[in-house]
Amino acid sequence: MNADSLRPRVYLAGPDIFRPDHPAVFHELKRLCSASGLEGVAPSDAELDLAGASGGDEEARRICQGNIDLIRSCNGVIANLQCFRGLEPDSGTVFEVGFAVALDKPVFAYGVPAGSYAERVQAERPCSADAEGMLREQADGTEVEGRGQRLNLMLTGSTVLAADAADAIRRLALVLGAHAR
């Protein structure tokens, strides 16, 4: 039995996997995890058999299953919920957070902009309050979730928001009883 097998495993979720420098990003996140007594696991760590996958749907299914298997094998999740291609976090990361929460795994998130979601929407789109005081997009009347949360209430209600990745890792390590090295 090696030392890594004794440390709690944490899945490193986020759109970082799409960055051209993702190996360096995950190396640093894993270093921070190790310093806090955790074993960081990146999506790219999935042992995938892509032989015979012709790309497209089959390859995507295998990648999805590989990430699901990694999350199942971990004790918790660190999630980068930065805005990705818009005002919301990466949808794949949001799925991974929801999946981990459904498995009763603790999720600590970082990368969330300051201020409320409603403030970010208002800065990008014309909005106004209706007769009941509900904030709505002027273009089509869609409600803008305005409960003062930094993200959708399902994310803020099911995760712990941290200042940055290092803070999220330290805090999750405490919850998991990991011992810093």
Side-chain angles (χ1 to χ4, degrees), residues 54-109:
S54 59
D57 291 343
E58 179 59 22
E59 187 173 301
R61 187 196 63 73
R62 291 182 191 185
I63 292 168
C64 176
Q65 189 60 53
N67 291 346
I68 285 172
D69 292 343
L70 283 178
I71 293 167
R72 285 185 192 279
S73 76
C74 289
N75 304 96
V77 171
I78 298 293
N80 180 350
L81 294 181
Q82 71 184 55
C83 293
F84 185 69
R85 298 183 179 139
L87 299 172
E88 298 273 352
D90 168 54
S91 57
T93 304
V94 171
F95 170 85
E96 292 169 333
V97 166
F99 186 73
V101 168
L103 295 174
D104 289 325
K105 296 180 186 287
V107 178
F108 283 69

Side-chain angles (χ1 to χ4, degrees), residues 16-180:
D16 303 306
I17 192 69
F18 301 117
R19 294 175 49 163
D21 64 342
H22 75 270
V25 171
F26 286 120
H27 177 77
E28 177 59 15
L29 290 170
K30 288 178 179 186
R31 186 192 67 73
L32 291 170
C33 285
S34 183
S36 293
L38 301 169
E39 179 188 353
V41 178
S44 54
D45 293 339
E47 294 181 18
L48 300 176
D49 177 10
L50 297 179
S54 59
D57 291 343
E58 179 59 22
E59 187 173 301
R61 187 196 63 73
R62 291 182 191 185
I63 292 168
C64 176
Q65 189 60 53
N67 291 346
I68 285 172
D69 292 343
L70 283 178
I71 293 167
R72 285 185 192 279
S73 76
C74 289
N75 304 96
V77 171
I78 298 293
N80 180 350
L81 294 181
Q82 71 184 55
C83 293
F84 185 69
R85 298 183 179 139
L87 299 172
E88 298 273 352
D90 168 54
S91 57
T93 304
V94 171
F95 170 85
E96 292 169 333
V97 166
F99 186 73
V101 168
L103 295 174
D104 289 325
K105 296 180 186 287
V107 178
F108 283 69
Y110 67 96
V112 179
S116 72
Y117 175 71
E119 291 168 340
R120 287 194 303 282
V121 171
Q122 287 182 81
E124 295 290 323
R125 301 188 172 125
C127 298
S128 58
D130 65 13
E132 289 81 38
M134 181 68 58
L135 185 64
R136 297 191 177 276
E137 291 185 44
Q138 290 177 358
D140 61 7
T142 302
E143 177 186 344
V144 177
E145 192 170 9
R147 291 169 181 82
Q149 303 295 306
R150 291 168 56 194
L151 292 171
N152 176 283
L153 66 88
M154 296 303 288
L155 287 171
T156 58
S158 62
T159 65
V160 176
L161 300 183
D164 55 28
D167 183 44
I169 290 166
R170 278 191 303 273
R171 293 171 71 182
L172 181 55
L174 287 171
V175 168
L176 295 177
H179 301 289

